[in-house]
C-alpha cells in the first residue's frame, strides 16, 4: 500500500469515527417501550474496530514518515515545515490585508491613517513563502505517492 492510500484511508476512518459518535449519541436513549433506530452495541463494535484500524494506520504512517527522506530531510520534517509555513502565510496575509487597507478621508483635516510597514516588501516576502510552501507540498505529495507504507 502506498503512503497516499494510507493517508486517504486514515481520513475516511476519522470521518467514519466522527459519524459513528453522532449515531451513538442519537441512539443513546429512547422513550420507554421504543427501540433505538440502530443497535448501540453494534455501533460500539464498529467504533472499536475502526479505532483499532486507525491506531494501526497512524503508527505505520508515522513510522513511514520518520523513515522516508527527501535528500537529508525526513518526511516528518517536511510536514512540520509545511504546517508552519501555512500558518505563517495565513497570519501574514491577514496582516497585509489590514496594512494595505485604504482609509478614505472626507477632508484634509481628518487624521491620516498610515501603514506601519512596507506593504510591497512584505508582499514579496509572502510571495517567496508561498512558493516555498508550494514546493514543499509538491515534495510531500510526490513522496506520498511513491513511498510504500512501512
Amino acid at each position: 500500500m502506498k503512503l497516499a492510500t494510507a493517508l486517504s484511508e486514515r481520513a475516511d476512518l476519522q470521518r467514519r469515527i466522527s459519524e459513528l459518535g453522532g449515531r451513538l449519541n442519537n441512539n443513546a436513549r429512547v422513550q420507554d417501550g421504543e427501540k433505538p433506530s440502530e443497535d448501540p452495541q453494534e455501533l460500539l463494535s464498529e467504533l472499536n474496530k475502526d479505532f483499532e484500524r486507525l491506531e494501526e494506520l497512524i503508527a505505520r504512517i508515522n513510522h513511514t514518515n520518520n523513515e522516508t527522506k527527501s535528500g537529508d530531510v525526513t518526511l516528518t520534517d517536511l510536514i512540520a515545515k509545511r504546517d508552519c509555513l501555512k500558518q505563517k502565510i495565513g497570519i501574514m496575509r491577514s496582516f497585509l490585508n489590514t496594512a494595505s487597507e485604504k482609509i478614505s478621508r472626507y477632508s484634509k483635516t481628518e487624521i491620516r491613517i498610515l501603514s506601519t510597514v512596507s506593504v510591497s516588501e512584505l508582499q514579496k516576502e509572502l510571495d517567496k513563502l508561498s512558493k516555498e510552501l508550494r514546493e514543499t507540498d509538491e515534495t510531500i505529495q510526490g513522496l506520498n505517492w511513491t513511498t510504500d507504507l512501512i
Side-chain angles (χ1 to χ4, degrees):
M1 172 188 303
K2 294 294 182 192
L3 179 56
T5 306
L7 293 169
S8 178
E9 184 179 344
R10 180 188 67 182
D12 287 344
L13 277 169
Q14 289 170 326
R15 198 171 13 266
R16 179 174 162 71
I17 286 169
S18 177
E19 290 169 1
L20 279 169
R23 289 166 57 195
L24 275 165
N25 287 336
N26 291 339
N27 291 283
R29 296 186 304 180
V30 293
Q31 187 174 340
D32 189 26
E34 297 286 321
K35 287 187 175 184
S37 57
E38 294 183 87
D39 181 5
Q41 292 304 319
E42 286 180 22
L43 292 174
L44 285 168
S45 176
E46 286 180 48
L47 185 68
N48 288 333
K49 196 167 41 172
D50 286 350
F51 267 117
E52 285 174 17
R53 177 66 179 151
L54 180 61
E55 183 179 340
E56 175 193 347
L57 271 177
I58 289 171
R60 291 178 67 191
I61 288 167
N62 288 344
H63 186 63
T64 303
N65 288 347
N66 284 328
E67 296 294 320
T68 303
K69 291 190 173 192
S70 175
D72 291 336
V73 181
T74 66
L75 188 50
T76 300
D77 294 338
L78 287 170
I79 291 168
K81 179 180 182 178
R82 179 191 62 189
D83 292 348
C84 287
L85 281 169
K86 279 182 181 179
Q87 191 171 5
K88 184 175 183 180
I89 288 168
I91 290 170
M92 286 186 66
R93 276 199 180 115
S94 176
F95 176 66
L96 277 173
N97 286 339
T98 302
S100 62
E101 261 181 14
K102 296 288 183 198
I103 307 288
S104 299
R105 293 190 316 163
Y106 296 104
S107 70
K108 291 187 182 229
T109 59
E110 285 188 52
I111 298 171
R112 288 180 52 197
I113 307 294
L114 303 173
S115 178
T116 58
V117 295
S118 170
V119 173
S120 62
E121 284 180 28
L122 277 177
Q123 185 61 54
K124 287 177 188 173
E125 184 181 337
L126 181 60
D127 291 343
K128 198 168 103 176
L129 287 171
S130 295
K131 180 182 178 188
E132 186 178 357
L133 172 62
R134 199 171 43 256
E135 290 169 348
T136 302
D137 198 49
E138 287 170 1
T139 302
I140 291 169
Q141 295 304 320
L143 288 169
N144 286 347
W145 286 106
T146 58
T147 301
D148 289 318
L149 189 66
I150 295 174

